[in-house]
Amino acid sequence: MAKFDKIETLFAELYKYRNLFSALFDKRMFSIQEEMVLPLVDHDTEKLERLAAFDLLFRNQGQISLDSRLQEFFEEFLEVDETVHVLYIQENLNQIKKNQSYYLKENQANKRDQYLVKIKKHLRGINQITLQNVKTLRSNTDETYKTETNFEIKKEKLTDVRNQRDALEGVIKAVERVLQDDLFFKTAADAELQLIIHRLRRTLNDSIHNLIEIQQQIIEYLNLIEKRVQVVEKVLRLKMLRDKHYLKEQTNFYRMVETNRDLPLKKSEGFRTRLSIQDLLNEEEKQKLILKVRNKLKNQKLLEQNIAGEISDEAFSSQEKIEDTINLHALKRIFMGKNQDLFSFVMNHQFPKEISTSQRIRLYCRLASLFEAEFVFTDETDKFGNLEYALIYPVLTSKQAATQSSQNL
């Protein structure tokens, strides 16, 4: 089996035959004959043989398809994968535990950094896979109920989706326990690792809430299927009795129908009357009716026009909020140079115009939300009156960290 020695060569090969790979990916759900894709390689079968030798294609008895690894790669990045990969999360979690053990036992700083890089990689992987799995579960739930016509298969598929949901919830809770109970993640000093953990915790929390909604949706769909099956069974039973001419003698069906005053389930029929143009031109009464209707419609359109009302005195009073006049980006830049937490900075900062305490608290929340990627969210909290807030610090650059370290020395 041939293989690529350089990543540049692989990229070049993928780009050279991009039309072929695109066509195979679009038709990945169908069996494709080789003669269908030969025009994409200038009718040269040796090119297909070469791509198959490098495991980019799979050929079997005149049929051709993408290699499974390449197909999974495309599906993952295009977010069109229909499979829930619960084991991928567990595998990443296992790798995190292994590298964490190596990190704690290693004495050399450069090797410890290598293990830390791998831990961050697997944490980001769990974050991405979890988001994709929840999205796929929701899509599979709706698609199964709305597109599958066989009730038995629909019920079985929804039950399988529910099992996948339960398995995903279990592995998500396992990740949450590791992040919450493990001393390594609770006391992590690396700013980037803290940010990754913070984002992962938010993703896991949102995913749990989404899984609860999916569970409720699956239960509702299964109940609807059960009711539908019961109705269908009753209809089939009635049909059998009718075909055997037992319906009138063994049931009270006809008496029930006679007393039923419900509206029939029939499609509403629309009636359109087309007037003869010749009659409209010759009969004066019809012309008067048309003009009368036209005038009524014209008057209705005039009534529907919005007429501006009187401007109130309150509209002329200034009600601008102080948050709208503050440059949040400039405020953030000042904070990045300070050696204090965000809440203390906002509460003690001297603004051009005096603002209230409640407005300063809103500014704190807006800054924390808008510039989340540039701040470090710690697990520590403090209190201001009856209010408890998180201690948030700026992410130090390498130059700032060196300066601070020298000052501490």
Side-chain angles (χ1 to χ4, degrees):
M1 179 185 68
K3 72 172 186 176
F4 296 100
D5 295 329
K6 297 181 179 180
I7 192 170
E8 293 87 351
T9 310
L10 173 60
F11 286 157
E13 204 74 10
L14 293 174
Y15 182 78
K16 182 179 180 181
Y17 298 103
R18 59 190 182 279
N19 294 331
L20 171 63
F21 294 131
S22 177
L24 292 176
F25 182 75
D26 291 339
K27 299 180 182 296
R28 64 190 182 280
M29 303 302 294
F30 309 95
S31 57
I32 307 173
Q33 301 296 326
E34 283 192 11
E35 55 266 19
M36 296 174 61
V37 298
L38 280 177
L40 300 176
V41 291
D42 302 325
H43 298 275
D44 189 350
T45 57
E46 292 184 359
K47 293 181 179 179
L48 294 179
E49 293 176 0
R50 181 175 182 277
L51 293 173
F54 280 96
D55 280 342
L56 295 177
L57 300 179
F58 178 74
R59 303 172 70 199
N60 182 31
Q61 297 180 353
Q63 294 185 348
I64 190 168
S65 62
L66 282 175
D67 181 76
S68 58
R69 294 172 300 171
L70 196 59
Q71 179 173 322
E72 290 178 4
F73 173 78
F74 291 156
E75 288 177 341
E76 179 179 354
F77 275 86
L78 295 176
E79 296 186 355
V80 293
D81 192 2
E82 298 179 356
T83 306
V84 179
H85 300 287
V86 177
L87 293 179
Y88 286 4
I89 300 178
Q90 186 63 52
E91 183 179 347
N92 277 278
L93 184 59
N94 294 338
Q95 292 296 324
I96 289 173
K97 292 179 179 179
K98 287 182 181 180
N99 285 283
Q100 176 188 348
S101 176
Y102 301 152
Y103 177 89
L104 296 174
K105 295 175 182 177
E106 182 59 57
N107 296 323
Q108 298 183 24
N110 59 340
K111 289 188 176 181
R112 286 166 63 92
D113 291 340
Q114 293 176 5
Y115 295 132
L116 188 60
V117 169
K118 292 180 180 179
I119 292 173
K120 295 176 183 177
K121 171 191 170 184
H122 291 297
L123 286 172
R124 285 192 292 264
I126 291 177
N127 188 79
Q128 181 64 31
I129 296 170
T130 302
L131 290 173
Q132 182 60 35
N133 280 345
V134 172
K135 179 181 177 182
T136 302
L137 265 179
R138 187 179 294 277
S139 176
N140 290 350
T141 302
D142 293 336
E143 184 177 354
T144 299
Y145 181 77
K146 295 176 181 178
T147 61
E148 182 57 58
T149 57
N150 188 300
F151 285 112
E152 293 297 326
I153 297 178
K154 181 183 294 189
K155 183 177 180 180
E156 188 174 341
K157 284 185 176 180
L158 285 175
T159 303
D160 183 54
V161 171
R162 182 169 61 180
N163 294 336
Q164 293 176 359
R165 191 216 73 87
D166 295 342
L168 182 58
E169 182 182 23
V171 74
I172 287 177
K173 289 184 177 180
V175 176
E176 285 183 330
R177 287 194 295 269
V178 170
L179 295 180
Q180 182 177 357
D181 301 335
D182 198 298
L183 186 62
F184 176 82
F185 295 109
K186 293 177 67 175
T187 60
D190 187 272
E192 183 184 9
L193 181 60
Q194 286 185 343
L195 181 59
I196 294 173
I197 294 173
H198 172 72
R199 290 178 175 175
L200 179 56
R201 282 174 175 164
R202 289 181 55 185
T203 296
L204 297 177
N205 184 59
D206 293 342
S207 297
I208 287 294
H209 286 85
N210 280 299
L211 289 178
I212 294 174
E213 295 179 5
I214 293 173
Q215 183 182 34
Q216 295 173 347
Q217 189 69 59
I218 293 174
I219 294 174
E220 181 180 351
Y221 283 159
L222 289 173
N223 290 336
L224 290 174
I225 292 173
E226 194 66 30
K227 292 180 181 178
R228 186 74 177 271
V229 170
Q230 293 176 1
V231 171
V232 171
E233 289 178 352
K234 290 181 180 180
V235 172
L236 292 176
R237 174 68 177 167
L238 287 173
K239 183 178 182 301
M240 183 270 293
L241 292 173
R242 187 201 64 179
D243 293 342
K244 293 184 177 182
H245 301 281
Y246 293 155
L247 191 60
K248 186 175 182 180
E249 298 298 329
Q250 297 186 6
T251 70
N252 62 344
F253 176 77
Y254 291 108
R255 291 195 299 273
M256 294 295 295
V257 171
E258 288 175 357
T259 59
N260 190 356
R261 295 293 182 265
D262 294 338
L263 293 175
L265 298 177
K266 290 184 178 180
K267 185 178 180 180
S268 59
E269 299 180 1
F271 297 94
R272 297 185 62 183
T273 303
R274 298 184 181 275
L275 300 177
S276 171
I277 296 179
Q278 192 65 31
D279 293 342
L280 294 177
L281 293 176
N282 296 334
E283 297 184 19
E284 184 177 355
E285 292 184 2
K286 292 182 179 179
Q287 293 179 5
K288 291 181 179 179
L289 286 173
I290 293 175
L291 292 175
K292 186 177 180 180
V293 172
R294 180 186 176 188
N295 290 331
K296 284 187 175 181
L297 293 175
K298 185 176 181 180
N299 292 335
Q300 289 178 358
K301 290 182 178 179
L302 291 175
L303 291 174
E304 290 176 356
Q305 292 180 355
N306 294 326
I307 301 175
E310 183 180 359
I311 302 176
S312 62
D313 295 334
E314 296 178 358
F316 295 98
S317 62
S318 176
Q319 297 180 351
E320 294 181 349
K321 296 182 178 180
I322 186 65
E323 289 92 333
D324 296 333
T325 63
I326 294 176
N327 189 332
L328 296 179
H329 290 273
L331 194 61
K332 184 265 298 184
R333 287 195 294 270
I334 298 174
F335 170 64
M336 297 300 285
K338 299 290 185 178
N339 187 19
Q340 62 181 151
D341 66 276
L342 180 62
F343 190 86
S344 301
F345 167 74
V346 173
M347 298 302 291
N348 298 321
H349 184 72
Q350 297 294 327
F351 292 95
K353 184 177 179 180
E354 184 59 29
I355 63 176
S356 64
T357 302
S358 61
Q359 291 171 332
R360 291 177 181 266
I361 294 174
R362 285 197 295 271
L363 273 176
Y364 162 80
C365 296
R366 292 183 64 186
L367 287 168
S369 175
L370 186 60
F371 305 106
E372 175 188 347
E374 302 180 51
F375 295 163
V376 177
F377 291 74
T378 67
D379 294 332
E380 300 178 2
T381 60
D382 205 343
K383 286 190 175 182
F384 179 78
N386 295 327
L387 177 67
E388 184 177 9
Y389 62 91
L391 294 179
I392 304 173
Y393 297 93
V395 176
L396 296 178
T397 63
S398 58
K399 183 177 180 180
Q400 290 173 328
T403 303
Q404 184 174 346
S405 176
S406 62
Q407 291 175 353
N408 293 336
L409 293 174

